[in-house]
Amino acid sequence: MSRRGRYSAEGAATADSLPATFPHQCPKEQRLEGKEPFKLHCFYSLLRGKKQRRNGGNEMRHAIAPSPNVENNSIAVTDLFKICTHCERLTKKDLGIRIPRPLGSGPSRFIPEKEILQVSKVDARTQAIFEDAFAALHRLDNISLVMSFHPQYLGSFLRTQHYLLQMDGPLPLHYRHYICIMAAARHQCSYLVNLHVNDFLQVGGNSKWLNGLNEAPQKLQQLGEINKILAHRPWLLTKEHIEHLLKTEEHSWSLAELIHAVVLLTHYHSLSSFTFGCGIMPEINCDSGHTFRPPSLSRYCACDIANGNSHANHHDDLSGNQEMCGEVEELMERMKQLQECRDDEEASQEEMATRFEKEKTESMLVVMSEDEECVPSRDISRHFEDTSYGYQDFSRRGEQVPTFRAQDYSWEDHGFSLVNRLYPDVGQMLDEKFQMAYNLTYNTMATHKDVDTSMLRRAIWNYIHCMFGIRYDDYDYGEINQLLDRSFKIYIKTMVCSPEKTTKRMYESFWRQFQHSEKVHVNLLLMEARMQAELLYALRAITRYMT
């Protein structure tokens, strides 16, 4: 029996504390003539803590010293808020500068800004996580802000990502960021590509590599094949692909380097899914995140916020949630009935196998999107080869995804130990992150409290693995059709297999009665289940090569 069903969130690690110092002086750009600096309720004020937090355990070593140009990464109010015409006029008059404004309203296109964590309500634990993230990355990105609905998971996520990108490891820093670019580009995720283009240059990467994959070293070019297979059809990865990378004479990879690269690829494939699934917007300092055009009258300025006059003009979905409440109760009733059926009788192994094959076949018939095929821009496509290669809809050719039996090769019994042996500590971090997403619960469903959601979480996780051909012998796949409706399945398949096609309409069409924080939780499940599925295929191929 798979141990994944016995995941426990208790004791799961959160982000290690990192030394942090933050600016105490209000930047000159924020001062207006004859006025004191704005006392804004913003992330800048959040990060102004006077105390430094000390590391609570063994200190992790940075692969290189931090960049000396960290002052260029300090947060300014103009990075966070709009500014009114009056303030802009004064600022232009005094400083002679143009003020950028964010193109979107908040960190997400799908989630109203007012529903995302408000700094004035941040608890001490979340604030500590934000401080650590800012100290490590010199920024607090929109992905972290959306994930902050679930601070316990966010701590584990940031700790793992920080270790992969900045701590001692087999790969040099510029290689790591270039691999992140390659992975995100496969799903046309310009948000993550741009983020790591900047990081790549900051750690000393060669700007010529950014002209296209053909300008990068041959060693990185050879990684392109497993990048595309893992991103779109991981079941096709074989030990021959691994052998080609490890036995190329002049540009060969070591096993440790390959494990590091595979973890980065799968992490950023799945993070691309989360980025599109939550409608993450670029930050104001990104090229596609701001404009210099005059603000609309419905927008508010930082001075309004400082004076407590801000009013968000977002649609209130409360009445809609009340009308849809019956659907939540129906889902809860189905969960109760399924539990009673479990207690009364248990299906045979033959019946369980038949139900798996039926669900796997049906998952291939789910149409992801009616929209036209997304064509990657030149800025994105130059970072990977074979732009026509994507998720294959096997139902069109009558083919099947081969079955991967979890009892033959599982994360808990095989993949975990392989990663930990070749890339120490990373296996443990990944395992904690998987467990955190799988076990995370507040025992609520919409407005209902004291609800056991374990059955629903397991159905979502196993449905994703089912789409990738992974079967758990101890799970009854007949439960999936009882718990996941068609609109939800369309969203899951699109976000996991072709995330660049995810739309706001898809996000809004499933679980309309649930809170946005619950939908973000679903996206965390989808992201981690996808990453683990990709990792299983990659690690199985590496194991077969080694044996």
Side-chain angles (χ1 to χ4, degrees):
M1 178 182 293
S2 170
R3 296 190 312 177
R4 183 182 51 73
R6 298 198 293 272
Y7 274 165
S8 172
E10 294 183 5
T14 55
D16 283 350
S17 299
L18 297 172
T21 57
F22 303 104
H24 291 266
Q25 300 299 323
C26 186
K28 292 181 179 178
E29 295 93 291
Q30 296 174 37
R31 299 179 179 272
L32 298 182
E33 184 177 4
K35 294 186 179 181
E36 289 296 316
F38 287 131
K39 297 180 180 179
L40 300 177
H41 299 291
C42 66
F43 287 107
Y44 181 80
S45 60
L46 183 153
L47 297 170
R48 291 176 59 194
K50 294 182 179 180
K51 62 181 180 179
Q52 290 188 353
R53 304 178 61 246
R54 297 185 180 275
N55 224 339
N58 295 328
E59 184 176 358
M60 296 187 292
R61 291 193 295 121
H62 281 271
I64 62 168
S67 169
N69 297 322
V70 293
E71 67 272 14
N72 293 331
N73 297 311
S74 60
I75 294 181
V77 169
T78 52
D79 291 340
L80 299 168
F81 293 106
K82 309 167 185 72
I83 196 166
C84 68
T85 305
H86 173 69
C87 292
E88 181 184 31
R89 188 163 53 248
L90 289 174
T91 306
K92 283 183 177 179
K93 177 181 178 182
D94 293 346
L95 301 177
I97 60 173
R98 301 172 69 200
I99 305 298
R101 299 180 186 83
L103 282 176
S105 178
S108 167
R109 291 187 297 114
F110 300 168
I111 305 171
E113 187 176 14
K114 68 175 182 179
E115 298 212 16
I116 296 177
L117 191 64
Q118 305 214 358
V119 180
S120 59
K121 299 179 181 178
V122 170
D123 58 28
R125 179 179 184 179
T126 307
Q127 178 170 333
I129 293 172
F130 283 167
E131 290 174 359
D132 289 346
F134 186 78
L137 301 173
H138 314 300
R139 63 172 178 255
L140 194 60
D141 58 43
N142 285 342
I143 288 177
S144 297
L145 294 182
V146 173
M147 284 186 182
S148 64
F149 276 118
H150 308 286
Q152 191 176 13
Y153 171 85
L154 176 61
S156 179
F157 172 85
L158 290 176
R159 177 172 177 258
T160 303
Q161 184 167 268
H162 176 72
Y163 195 95
L164 292 173
L165 294 176
Q166 298 190 15
M167 295 298 121
D168 276 350
L171 293 173
L173 294 190
H174 62 300
Y175 265 52
R176 302 181 198 188
H177 290 294
Y178 197 84
I179 290 170
C180 296
I181 294 169
M182 292 173 61
R186 282 259 39 133
H187 285 307
Q188 306 170 38
C189 187
S190 58
Y191 175 87
L192 291 175
V193 169
N194 292 334
L195 209 61
H196 286 280
V197 163
N198 292 331
D199 290 342
F200 172 78
L201 294 174
Q202 189 173 10
V203 298
N206 188 336
S207 60
K208 291 183 179 179
W209 298 8
L210 300 176
N211 293 331
L213 185 58
N214 59 327
E215 296 284 346
Q218 188 66 28
K219 184 172 181 176
L220 285 170
Q221 292 184 40
Q222 291 173 348
L223 197 65
E225 183 69 13
I226 70 167
N227 179 30
K228 76 174 186 180
I229 293 174
L230 283 174
H232 305 296
R233 310 174 200 175
W235 49 86
L236 297 180
L237 194 67
T238 66
K239 68 177 183 179
E240 284 72 29
H241 292 108
I242 305 302
E243 183 177 14
H244 175 71
L245 290 172
L246 298 177
K247 288 194 172 182
T248 303
E249 294 181 0
E250 186 178 354
H251 309 287
S252 62
W253 292 72
S254 69
L255 272 172
E257 288 176 331
L258 185 57
I259 288 289
H260 194 171
V262 162
V263 172
L264 284 172
L265 289 174
T266 56
H267 178 80
Y268 277 90
H269 292 157
S270 59
L271 190 56
S272 296
S273 286
F274 182 87
T275 301
F276 283 112
C278 289
I280 300 296
M281 292 289 293
E283 289 80 17
I284 190 174
N285 59 300
C286 298
D287 289 341
S288 57
H290 66 265
T291 179
F292 291 101
R293 289 178 297 180
S296 65
L297 295 177
S298 62
R299 303 296 179 91
Y300 54 87
C301 171
C303 60
D304 293 317
I305 302 172
N307 296 316
N309 297 326
S310 61
H311 297 283
N313 294 320
H314 298 297
H315 176 67
D316 189 354
D317 291 324
L318 181 61
S319 60
N321 286 344
Q322 292 173 341
E323 293 174 3
M324 301 290 294
C325 192
E327 293 187 15
V328 181
E329 293 168 348
E330 289 178 8
L331 179 57
M332 292 173 61
E333 180 62 27
R334 288 197 296 272
M335 291 166 59
K336 180 181 178 182
Q337 292 173 358
L338 287 172
Q339 185 60 55
E340 292 172 352
C341 291
R342 279 184 185 177
D343 298 336
D344 292 342
E345 58 179 331
E346 185 174 341
S348 65
Q349 282 297 314
E350 292 77 10
E351 179 62 23
M352 299 270 266
T354 299
R355 292 175 183 177
F356 168 78
E357 292 298 332
K358 179 181 179 182
E359 187 58 49
K360 185 174 68 171
T361 301
E362 289 182 359
S363 73
M364 298 173 195
L365 299 175
V366 173
V367 179
M368 288 184 290
S369 173
E370 298 177 358
D371 299 334
E372 295 182 2
E373 183 178 356
C374 300
V375 179
S377 67
R378 169 59 186 160
D379 286 343
I380 300 297
S381 64
R382 62 185 173 185
H383 297 300
F384 64 94
E385 298 173 335
D386 196 356
T387 57
S388 63
Y389 193 93
Y391 173 79
Q392 178 65 57
D393 189 349
F394 284 88
S395 62
R396 293 179 181 177
R397 301 190 304 177
E399 297 181 6
Q400 291 281 335
V401 176
T403 297
F404 182 126
R405 301 178 74 232
Q407 71 267 29
D408 295 336
Y409 196 95
S410 69
W411 165 254
E412 295 82 6
D413 298 327
H414 306 89
F416 169 83
S417 58
L418 177 61
V419 173
N420 242 22
R421 186 167 83 247
L422 294 172
Y423 192 5
D425 298 328
V426 169
Q428 184 65 40
M429 291 181 183
L430 292 175
D431 192 58
E432 289 170 354
K433 188 161 64 78
F434 291 149
Q435 291 187 38
M436 187 69 70
Y438 186 83
N439 287 301
L440 183 64
T441 182
Y442 305 96
N443 295 311
T444 60
M445 285 181 64
T447 58
H448 296 269
K449 298 180 180 179
D450 300 320
V451 181
D452 182 0
T453 61
S454 57
M455 179 182 292
L456 185 58
R457 284 180 277 121
R458 191 180 186 191
I460 294 170
W461 187 283
N462 285 357
Y463 179 64
I464 295 160
H465 280 201
C466 178
M467 291 192 302
F468 284 92
I470 299 172
R471 178 193 168 204
Y472 296 93
D473 284 351
D474 61 339
Y475 183 69
D476 182 359
Y477 288 85
E479 294 183 0
I480 291 177
N481 275 338
Q482 297 294 318
L483 299 175
L484 311 183
D485 61 30
R486 183 168 181 79
S487 62
F488 192 15
K489 285 184 174 181
I490 291 173
Y491 177 80
I492 292 175
K493 185 172 183 179
T494 304
M495 180 183 157
V496 171
C497 299
S498 299
E500 62 276 8
K501 296 181 180 180
T502 306
T503 64
K504 186 176 183 180
R505 176 179 55 81
M506 291 180 186
Y507 175 87
E508 293 176 341
S509 66
F510 84 93
W511 283 10
R512 286 173 289 176
Q513 71 278 26
F514 282 71
Q515 304 294 325
H516 286 290
S517 61
E518 292 172 306
K519 290 194 173 187
V520 172
H521 184 189
V522 166
N523 284 334
L524 296 179
L525 273 173
L526 304 187
M527 175 174 68
E528 295 298 346
R530 176 191 174 171
M531 181 178 182
Q532 190 180 94
E534 285 190 35
L535 268 179
L536 283 174
Y537 280 106
L539 297 175
R540 184 182 68 170
I542 292 173
T543 300
R544 287 176 173 175
Y545 165 80
M546 295 172 64
T547 56

